[in-house]
Each structure stands twice: as C-alpha cells, then as structure tokens.
Amino acid sequence: MESLYTALDQGKVGIFESPTGTGKSLSLICGALTWLRDHEEKKQEAAKLLDTEGLEKGSDDGKEKKSSEASEPDWVSEFVQKKAERDMVNKLKDEELKRKKREERLEMIRHNAQLRYAMKRKATEDDETVKLLQLSKEGAESETHDPEEEGLIVAEYESDEEATPKSRLCEDDDDDEDLEEDHVTKIYYCSRTHSQLAQFVHEVQKSPYGDSVRLVSLGSRQNLCVNPEVVRLGNVQMMNDRCLEMQKNKHDKREKASDLEPKRRRGVAKATCPFSGFENLMSMRDEVLVKVRDVEQLLQHGRDTHTCPYYSTRMAIPAAQVVVLPYQTLLHASTRKASGIKLKDQIVIIDEAHNLTDTISAIHSVEMSGAQICRAHSQLSQYCERYRSRLKAKNLMYIKQILFVLEGLVRTLGGKVGQNPNTQSCQPGSELLTINDFLFRGQCDNINLFKVQKYFEKSMISQKLCGFVEKYEGNGINSQSSCKNKENRRIEGLGLYLQSLQNNPTVVSEQQVAAEVKPTMASPMMLVESFLFALTNANKDGRVVIQRQACLAQSSLKFLLLNAAVHFTQIARESRAVIIAGGTMQPVADFKEQLLFSAGVTEDRILEFSCGHVIPPENILPIVLCTGPSGQQLEFTFQTRDTPQMMEETGRVLSNLCNIVPGGVVCFFPSYEYEKRILGHWEATGVLQRLQTKKKIFQEPKKANQVEQVLSDYSKSIQRCVNAEGGQSGALLFSVVGGKMSEGINFSDDLGRCIVMVGMPYPNIKSPELQEKMTYLDKNMPHIDGKSPGKAMIENLCMKAVNQSIGRAIRHRGDYACIVLCDHRYSRTGTLQKLPEWIRSSTRTHTSFGPAFASIRKLCDVLMRQMGVNMSLCFPAVFSVSRSV
C-alpha cells in the first residue's frame, strides 16, 4: 500500500504483482482511497489558504485606508465613501448582467435547438413536396410515405470541413461543454469479468470506506437493462439498437412537444422507454452515489424503482469517486467516449492485467466472414434503392463509397457481390498483407477511409440499416400474398436473398455448427464499420489476414493489430497515474517494451512492485521433473511428445502421483489436440483404467456452459469419504493450458493438492499471425537479454500461460499444494527466472524420479498428519509396501 500510495502521489505507471490470497483487492482499495482522501484534503487546505491570504490582504488595505482617512479632510472621506458605494452598486449590476447573459445564452441554446428542428422540418417538408411532385409526374407511386420510416432515413450529412459558419454557430458546442458537469478526481477500476468486478465491490463494502465512498458500477445493457421489451431480444447488438431507437423516439417526442406549431401529419405513436424518465434517472443517480452497490444490486434496485440503471450509472460518473467497469469499456476509445469517461488527471487501476497487451490487441482486431460482407452489401444496396429519392446527395455519395469498398472486400476473397456466397467457390489458402497492400488489392486505395469513418459516426448508418432490416426482413420471408407494386417486390427480394445467405451449404463443418448457435445480428454493418475503422491504423501497426475456404461464405478477412501501444498511449498520457496489477505479472520485460515504452512511458515513470505469498514456505513444493520412473527423459517437444515411450512415461508419473496425493489432482496438457492423442493412447494401453482405480477421472468440457457442472461433480467426488479398502480417493481432472479452467478457476484446498504441467505450452510458431508479430517486434523492438524480441515473445507467452495454470492452486494462507513441471527444459536458468518469485524461490530441480517422489510423499504425509489424518488409512496400498520407490 505504501508503494501504491507513492505511485499515485508521484503520477507513476505502477506494475504490481501480488498472488491471489494475499489481500490484493483490499490493498488496492485502501491504498488508493487513502490517497484520494488525502488529495481532497490538500485541495481544500490550499483553497482555504488562498481565501485567508485574500482576507488578510483586504484587512491590511482597510487598515491603511483608516489611518489615511484620519488625517484627511471630511469632504475627502465623504467622497471616498460614496465612491465605494458606487463601486459596490456597479459590482452588483455587473453580476446581475452576467446572470442575465447566462440565462439569455441558455435560452438561445434552447431556441437554437427549436430553430434547428424547425429548419430541419421545413427542409423535410420541402423535400417531400418536391418528391410528391416528382412522383405525381412520373406516376410511379400513389401512396404517401410511411411515417414509421422517417427514423430509418439518414439525415442530411455535412462533414466538419464542409460545414458553413452559420451551421457551426448553431451547434453551440462550447456552450454545451460549459454546461456539462465537472468531473471530480476519481479512480477508474477495471477487471476482466463482471464476477471479478462484483468481488471487488464486495471488498469495498467491507472496507473502512464502504459507508463514505461514492462508487458507481458500470455495465452493458445486457447486464443493466430492466425493460422487458428490450431484455427479451437477448442479443447484445439488438438490445443496443432497440434501446437507442427508444431514446431517439423520446427525444423526437420532446422536440415535437416544444414546437409551437402542431404536427399536421398523423402517424403511429413510436415506442419509448418508460424506465428512462429524466426525474427518475436523476433520483436514482443520487441513490447510486449514496450506497455502494454491485451490478446485480443495481439491477434489482432499478426493477424496484422502475428506473433504468444503465443510464443512471452513466449520469453518476462525474460525481463518483470510484468507477468500476470492464476492460473493454476503458481500453476502447469510442466506448470510453460513449460512456462519458474522461481520463484527464484521473487514476486508472487495471486488475488481472497479465494479458493486457493481448487484450488490447484482441479488442481492436476484427474478423468477418464472406457471408457477412455479402449480407451487408445486399442490405445497404436495398436500403439505398428504396430511399434513393429521399436521400441527399452527400448521403448517396458516401453510401456508394461504402458499397464500393464492400465489393472490394469480396473481391479480395475471390468472389462477387449479388450472388449467393454459399454457392461461390474459392481457391483455398491464406495470405497476409499490409494495410496498404490490402487496399490496393481491393482497389479501395482511392477511398478516404477517414471520411468514411466520420460518416459512419455522424450519420449512424449502421443503426439505420439495422432498423431497416428488422422492419422488412420478416415481411419478405413470411409474405404469402402477391406483391402489389415494385417496392414490395424489391423488399420481398431482400428478405428472400437474406434467407438464402443464411442457408447452410451441403457440407457442414463443426465450426459452422458452433457459429449457428450464436445469435445473428440483424445487420453485420457494424462489424464492417469496425473493420474499416481498423484499416485507418498506420500501415506498420497492423496486418490483414485473408483466409480463403472452399466457398465464399466460409472465407474470412481478419485485421490483426500488431502494436497495442497505439491504443494505450492516450490512457498513459492523460491519466495522472496508471496501476497495472495482477496475481502473476511475470515476465514483465516484453510487457514494458511492447506496451509502456512504445506508448511513450519513460523508465523513470515506471514503478515495479512484487511480493511473495502469505503461506509458509513449507506449504508449497514446486518441482521440475526431468525424468520419469523408468529413467526416460521428459522432453515434450513437437518431435518427441507423440512417441509411445513418452506417453507411457507420462502415464507412469501420473499413476505414482495419484497413489500418494490426497484430494484433487489437476493435470494440464499443452493443447486440446495433444490431450486427445495421449488420452486415446492411455485408454488403449490400460493406463486410464489404472488411474481410475485410485481417482475418478474428469475432463474439461468443450462447451463453456458445461464447465460449472463438471466442477461441481469434481468437487463432490473429492468430498466423498475415502474408501478404507484402497478404492477411489479424490479425483483427477484433465485440463488444457489456455482453456476454460486455466484462468479464473480456484482449485483451493482439496480441489488442487497437486498441479501437473505436462510439457511447455509454446504457441504454434507456424501461425502466420504469430510469424508476422515476431517479424514486427524484431524490426521495431530492442533485444531482450541477448534474445531477439520475437523469440523472447514466444517464450514469454509460454511462461505466462504456465504461470496462470499453476497459479490455480494456493488460494489462501492456509492452503498447500505441490506443483510438478514435467519437462527438463524448465530447469534452464532463463526459464526459471520467468516463474513468479514466490514459486521460484521454493522450486527444486530433480534429475531422477525417486527423490522427487519422496519429497512429494513427505509433504503429503507431514501436512496430513498436522490435520490429524493418518496417511496409512487413506492409502493402505502404498504404505503397506516398502517406502523406497
């Protein structure tokens, strides 16, 4: 906490490592909030000091005046007194004048809003008049426009450089900023999952600051929406679109109510959200700041008060002292802006930050399939065709540019737009290009993507298109009656075409089946928008991977971000201090090089802190096992790991461990492929049958929704009484490094008395994405410890994954476990240095199996006897034979 306080006070970027179970969350809370309290007190004292100095100066001036008045004639004193009175009156008049000017300015802002709406309405009516004349002249249509479609049409677009001075004046941006509430000094705390954020909030509630701190928990609409009509949609994107549509309808309704002239046209009333009334939101905003609540408590409070927690929490951000939010909200610039987050001179704490670089890269990397690109092109084409006569020239120009870019994207995959992507065949293969080369390949290099990006943001064309598809897709698919006119035929064609794009090809792969389970967005245009935004990165900072499959629908384009620092620079530059914390932050060398130094953070601004565990040294036994029971050297390289000798030796190691370790044993394999291969070999050779005689075997499921059930069954098996006749005792869980159980799962106490790491989980070095990342690092980063940055990154990725997996054990101060690293390569000095200090200091390397087995048996025997359990009763088959291995 002292180091944390120093980092915050001096504006440092701190890297803090503290193992799980050592009180990391509580230390972050108390240290940060203590600094915040002291910081506010210093500000108040400085303000009082300035006021005192002003009063003292005024008092000295008064004394001088009195002494001078005593020696002056009466008429002079009278003149001075009258002058002072006139100055006071003038001062009051000035203040009153300023107040009136502010009121007039506010009134002008309101008037300008009404004027803008009136001008927009007049322009719309003029356009409608012209269109009606054109329609009557052409005889194309006899029906008037559907009022419900008004919200689907893009408003007249004017870019910043094209805007006239008058239109800029009407915006009143400066005035709006003046009226915005000031942000107090605050702490932004973010973590990976909502459950981890909720755990942090509960720690705040238990801390000494629980009753006094103003804390706000942010979440997505999926977590905080209380409107049943929106919640039932399920899909996050559809929920966002529906909520924004309701807010827009409410805004339009307010503008119509403020308009003096009644609306002549009658239309169907548009749905608005009954939970987002301004007065209710303000009331809940105050209640949010009074009491510390997590997301679930906010959701329940919103249901009880019929008020929207999503917008209430965002309104509470300026006055909050602590804002709790997920990774994505903080690390993504446009999401920060949309949420109202301002980092200027604020504190940022990023917890569980061991994969921060990869997280930033993943957030800003985008992948989309050929089917999604074709759907987006088809939908936008139909939208443009339907509303062509009602769209302004600028809108048509930018929409045609977007369509041209989409055609180029499909062209790079070897297909054509306007045809079913499931029936278009492609030449299988992969290709990796720079951003510029990709744009040249798609013939899109003459399109200004920065202007297209600005158009996406201002026109909200993606949301408009989503509403358009939702309105007409079902009509086209379900329509049984004959089409009345060309317009209906066109929309029905859209629906039928969209349906054809969703049809499955003849050969259905496992990936397609998995993809079909996921809800489909009404329109993939937002994905296209993200991809085009990614293409505006610098040419050296990103690559585009073209993956061609047998058909166009299964082919894909992926933008790969190589330099995560470009998106971390703003956070590091604007924030007063940034704290990057985690249970396992080692190794930090590439972390500093790739993220901090590249983001402009200097060495003198970085503060590192790492502490050991709170457990006694004898409660942990990390072992590097170089050979197995038969003397076979353990080396799980790509060339040797599939040999029968290596698989059988691994089985013998595991069998011996299950004989002496009580409770649960968790075995991590380097990949799903190797797990499948070695378990198949063990089943054929009888190794699995031998393991099942001692422990019940469980395997990590492939589906995420099955993890909880497997863990529950695993825990119940361990809790069952030990069979005195030497039957099953505990359980054995097979898992995969980087899988669903290697992070965020606590194998505390009997759930993880032994963690076995089979081999070293190096990533696939033949991956084109990884090779490009290595090439980029070798060109732009300095060598680390005499190794090339690319090679160092591969080793660090491996050891980070190992550290996360073995960190699943030892979760509190009374816990104990042994960790067995099965590969002689772990004994290398450079590799050992990348283990966490609290594990590295106790690690022992054994070149033969006998001493390693004896030390594990001794640990189990001693600690079980301390707990009052006789090991010979637990494992009579083992202790009835000789104690030598």
Side-chain angles (χ1 to χ4, degrees):
M1 284 191 284
E2 289 178 357
S3 298
L4 175 67
Y5 192 101
T6 301
L8 299 181
D9 202 45
Q10 298 179 3
K12 300 279 189 179
V13 175
I15 303 175
F16 285 74
E17 183 182 52
S18 180
T20 302
T22 57
K24 173 167 59 73
S25 297
L26 200 58
S27 299
L28 289 173
I29 293 165
C30 294
L33 289 179
T34 300
W35 175 87
L36 185 62
R37 181 196 62 192
D38 295 346
H39 178 71
E40 292 298 328
E41 289 178 355
K42 289 177 182 177
K43 286 173 62 177
Q44 293 176 4
E45 290 175 0
K48 288 180 181 178
L49 184 62
L50 289 174
D51 292 341
T52 304
E53 291 177 352
L55 290 174
E56 290 176 352
K57 184 177 180 181
S59 176
D60 294 340
D61 293 342
K63 290 178 181 179
E64 291 177 2
K65 287 181 180 179
K66 287 183 180 180
S67 60
S68 63
E69 286 175 359
S71 59
E72 289 174 351
D74 294 339
W75 67 270
V76 174
S77 301
E78 184 178 354
F79 173 80
V80 172
Q81 183 177 358
K82 287 182 179 181
K83 185 178 183 301
E85 292 175 356
R86 284 197 304 270
D87 291 342
M88 181 63 69
V89 171
N90 291 334
K91 184 178 180 181
L92 293 173
K93 285 182 178 180
D94 289 341
E95 289 179 355
E96 180 66 18
L97 184 62
K98 288 180 181 178
R99 186 184 65 81
K100 287 184 178 180
K101 284 184 177 180
R102 180 171 178 80
E103 290 180 355
E104 289 174 359
R105 184 164 63 84
L106 292 172
E107 183 62 30
M108 183 181 68
I109 293 172
R110 287 191 288 268
H111 176 70
N112 284 340
Q114 296 177 5
L115 183 63
R116 285 199 302 271
Y117 175 74
M119 292 173 64
K120 179 181 175 182
R121 186 193 59 197
K122 185 177 184 302
T124 304
E125 290 176 352
D126 292 343
D127 291 340
E128 289 177 356
T129 304
V130 173
K131 290 167 190 170
L132 287 173
L133 289 173
Q134 290 176 348
L135 290 174
S136 62
K137 183 178 179 180
E138 297 172 1
E141 291 182 355
S142 59
E143 298 179 359
T144 58
H145 297 303
D146 183 0
E148 290 186 0
E149 293 185 352
E150 293 296 331
L152 301 178
I153 301 173
V154 180
E156 183 175 3
Y157 178 72
E158 215 174 22
S159 60
D160 293 338
E161 61 270 18
E162 296 164 345
T164 61
K166 183 177 179 180
S167 63
R168 291 197 194 103
L169 183 62
C170 291
E171 291 293 333
D172 289 312
D173 291 335
D174 296 336
D175 294 335
D176 292 340
E177 290 179 3
D178 292 341
L179 298 174
E180 190 175 336
E181 185 176 357
D182 292 333
H183 284 237
V184 302
T185 303
K186 58 173 57 64
I187 299 165
Y188 288 104
Y189 175 91
C190 68
S191 190
R192 191 162 48 93
T193 63
H194 281 288
S195 60
Q196 290 170 333
L197 294 174
Q199 183 180 355
F200 176 81
V201 173
H202 296 158
E203 292 291 337
V204 175
Q205 292 171 339
K206 294 186 292 184
S207 74
Y209 298 93
D211 296 330
S212 58
V213 68
R214 300 190 300 275
L215 182 144
V216 173
S217 297
L218 299 185
S220 63
R221 289 180 175 88
Q222 193 175 28
N223 297 106
L224 289 175
C225 182
V226 294
N227 189 334
E229 183 182 346
V230 179
V231 173
R232 66 178 174 80
L233 297 175
N235 181 274
V236 180
Q237 191 58 59
M238 295 176 68
M239 291 177 66
N240 289 338
D241 295 340
R242 183 59 178 157
C243 179
L244 291 172
E245 180 187 351
M246 286 183 166
Q247 298 305 314
K248 181 181 180 302
N249 293 342
K250 184 177 70 173
H251 178 72
D252 293 343
K253 185 177 180 181
R254 191 183 303 119
E255 284 188 343
K256 290 176 182 178
S258 64
D259 192 6
L260 297 177
E261 295 183 13
K263 189 76 174 175
R264 294 181 180 179
R265 180 187 299 169
R266 293 181 180 179
V268 180
K270 297 181 180 180
T272 58
C273 182
F275 298 89
S276 59
F278 183 75
E279 293 182 359
N280 291 343
L281 290 177
M282 291 300 295
S283 176
M284 185 172 179
R285 166 194 178 276
D286 298 335
E287 293 178 10
V288 166
L289 293 171
V290 168
K291 184 179 179 181
V292 176
R293 295 180 175 92
D294 63 16
V295 169
E296 290 295 329
Q297 293 167 337
L298 285 171
L299 186 63
Q300 186 58 47
H301 184 69
R303 289 169 178 162
D304 295 340
T305 59
H306 297 280
T307 308
C308 177
Y310 178 79
Y311 284 105
S312 299
T313 51
R314 273 152 179 73
M315 294 172 67
I317 290 176
Q321 293 175 307
V322 179
V323 178
V324 179
L325 67 165
Y327 271 165
Q328 291 78 359
T329 308
L330 181 85
L331 299 176
H332 198 267
S334 59
T335 308
R336 281 202 307 270
K337 183 178 179 181
S339 302
I341 294 171
K342 295 186 176 181
L343 299 179
K344 186 65 175 175
D345 297 328
Q346 308 292 13
I347 302 299
V348 174
I349 298 178
I350 305 175
D351 202 359
E352 301 296 333
H354 52 275
N355 286 331
L356 182 59
T357 306
D358 298 332
T359 301
I360 296 175
S361 298
I363 291 174
H364 295 89
S365 297
V366 189
E367 184 174 11
M368 56 184 181
S369 66
Q372 290 173 322
I373 303 172
C374 290
R375 288 184 70 224
H377 184 277
S378 173
Q379 292 169 359
L380 189 59
S381 298
Q382 296 290 341
Y383 177 89
C384 180
E385 192 67 26
R386 177 172 177 84
Y387 300 121
R388 177 182 295 275
S389 59
R390 305 175 67 179
L391 291 171
K392 297 293 184 180
K394 285 289 182 185
N395 287 318
L396 286 172
M397 181 190 74
Y398 279 109
I399 288 175
K400 291 195 178 223
Q401 287 187 8
I402 297 171
L403 289 172
F404 182 78
V405 172
L406 290 174
E407 290 178 17
L409 298 182
V410 175
R411 195 181 301 117
T412 59
L413 291 173
K416 295 181 179 180
V417 297
Q419 301 176 17
N420 192 331
N422 288 317
T423 60
Q424 296 189 60
S425 60
C426 299
Q427 186 67 33
S430 61
E431 197 173 0
L432 193 143
L433 302 174
T434 64
I435 297 176
N436 289 342
D437 290 342
F438 175 76
L439 293 175
F440 282 121
R441 177 76 61 86
Q443 300 176 9
C444 304
D445 53 294
N446 59 336
I447 300 293
N448 189 332
L449 291 180
F450 292 95
K451 286 189 175 182
V452 173
Q453 176 195 344
K454 183 66 72 175
Y455 177 76
F456 268 113
E457 293 175 356
K458 286 196 170 185
S459 67
M460 299 178 69
I461 182 66
S462 298
Q463 289 85 346
K464 304 282 187 183
L465 190 60
C466 189
F468 169 73
V469 174
E470 285 182 349
K471 181 176 177 62
Y472 290 110
E473 184 174 9
N475 293 346
I477 293 173
N478 300 324
S479 177
Q480 300 295 332
S481 60
S482 60
C483 300
K484 294 182 178 179
N485 52 42
K486 185 174 75 172
E487 196 63 56
N488 288 338
R489 288 197 301 274
R490 189 182 299 127
I491 298 304
E492 182 175 0
L494 166 66
L496 293 173
Y497 183 73
L498 294 178
Q499 189 181 39
S500 70
L501 295 185
Q502 295 173 358
N503 290 337
N504 298 327
T506 305
V507 181
V508 182
S509 63
E510 292 182 4
Q511 294 179 348
Q512 286 177 273
V513 174
E516 288 171 7
V517 177
K518 299 179 181 179
T520 306
M521 291 186 295
S523 173
M525 186 55 74
M526 288 192 177
L527 198 60
V528 173
E529 181 180 347
S530 300
F531 185 81
L532 296 184
F533 171 71
L535 293 180
T536 61
N537 280 279
N539 186 55
K540 66 182 181 65
D541 291 336
R543 297 291 183 270
V544 179
V545 181
I546 303 176
Q547 190 73 38
R548 299 186 185 92
Q549 301 294 340
C551 74
L552 177 62
Q554 298 176 40
S555 302
S556 64
L557 295 175
K558 180 179 181 181
F559 175 81
L560 177 67
L561 180 68
L562 298 178
N563 184 13
V566 295
H567 296 285
F568 190 74
T569 302
Q570 185 181 9
I571 298 174
R573 183 178 64 247
E574 292 188 356
S575 304
R576 175 191 175 96
V578 179
I579 303 301
I580 301 168
T584 307
M585 295 299 295
Q586 294 293 331
V588 298
D590 62 335
F591 181 85
K592 291 163 63 175
E593 287 289 346
Q594 295 179 32
L595 193 64
L596 299 184
F597 294 156
S598 298
V601 180
T602 55
E603 181 70 51
D604 59 337
R605 196 189 169 195
I606 298 175
L607 186 149
E608 292 185 51
F609 175 86
S610 178
C611 67
H613 216 298
V614 292
I615 61 169
E618 61 269 15
N619 278 28
I620 182 173
L621 182 61
I623 289 177
V624 175
L625 193 59
C626 298
T627 58
S630 67
Q632 172 78 36
Q633 186 182 46
L634 299 177
E635 185 180 31
F636 295 87
T637 61
F638 188 76
Q639 292 79 15
T640 60
R641 68 182 185 179
D642 290 336
T643 60
Q645 296 86 352
M646 190 62 63
M647 292 183 180
E648 291 167 8
E649 191 73 351
T650 307
R652 285 190 282 268
V653 170
L654 210 54
S655 296
N656 279 276
L657 292 177
C658 289
N659 277 339
I660 62 171
V661 176
V665 175
V666 184
C667 179
F668 285 100
F669 294 106
S671 66
Y672 286 104
E673 180 185 359
Y674 188 65
E675 179 193 37
K676 181 179 179 180
R677 190 174 301 139
I678 195 170
L679 291 183
H681 181 80
W682 285 352
E683 187 173 9
T685 56
V687 175
L688 278 182
Q689 288 75 7
R690 291 200 300 271
L691 292 174
Q692 284 175 344
T693 60
K694 284 300 173 185
K695 294 188 182 293
K696 187 171 182 180
I697 295 178
F698 294 88
Q699 190 173 351
E700 177 183 308
K702 292 184 178 180
K703 295 183 179 179
N705 56 5
Q706 297 175 351
V707 171
E708 187 175 349
Q709 184 61 46
V710 171
L711 287 175
S712 176
D713 295 340
Y714 173 73
S715 177
K716 289 176 183 177
S717 296
I718 293 173
Q719 292 171 1
R720 291 194 188 101
C721 296
V722 178
N723 190 329
E725 299 299 325
Q728 286 185 345
S729 172
L732 171 62
L733 175 63
F734 293 123
S735 188
V736 176
V737 176
K740 301 172 183 64
M741 295 184 179
S742 62
E743 289 190 39
I745 304 295
N746 293 340
F747 292 109
S748 59
D749 299 322
D750 287 336
L751 296 181
R753 291 305 183 195
C754 181
I755 305 294
V756 181
M757 180 64 59
V758 178
M760 301 186 72
Y762 282 106
N764 181 14
I765 198 170
K766 294 184 179 180
S767 164
E769 292 97 331
L770 200 57
Q771 287 184 344
E772 194 65 26
K773 180 81 172 179
M774 293 173 64
T775 304
Y776 171 81
L777 293 176
D778 289 340
K779 286 183 179 178
N780 297 279
M781 301 291 171
H783 281 56
I784 302 174
D785 298 332
K787 295 181 181 178
S788 67
K791 187 175 180 181
M793 180 197 69
I794 295 296
E795 294 183 358
N796 290 337
L797 285 175
C798 170
M799 292 309 298
K800 281 182 179 179
V802 170
N803 292 339
Q804 282 300 308
S805 298
I806 63 180
R808 299 305 93 208
I810 310 293
R811 310 303 288 182
H812 58 84
R813 63 180 180 179
D815 205 355
Y816 67 91
C818 56
I819 298 170
V820 182
L821 304 175
C822 297
D823 199 309
H824 79 94
R825 291 176 293 172
Y826 282 109
S827 61
R828 295 180 299 198
T829 304
T831 303
L832 285 175
Q833 290 299 318
K834 293 176 181 178
L835 290 171
E837 171 60 29
W838 64 278
I839 294 179
R840 183 172 68 246
S841 59
S842 302
T843 302
R844 300 291 180 266
T845 299
H846 291 280
T847 55
S848 59
F849 184 76
F853 184 84
S855 61
I856 296 172
R857 184 183 61 192
K858 181 179 179 181
L859 172 72
C860 297
D861 193 5
V862 171
L863 292 175
M864 289 295 286
R865 290 186 184 280
Q866 289 178 357
M867 298 171 64
V869 179
N870 192 332
M871 285 289 290
S872 62
L873 295 178
C874 294
F875 304 98
V878 176
F879 284 85
S880 61
V881 298
S882 172
R883 287 191 175 267
S884 62
V885 179

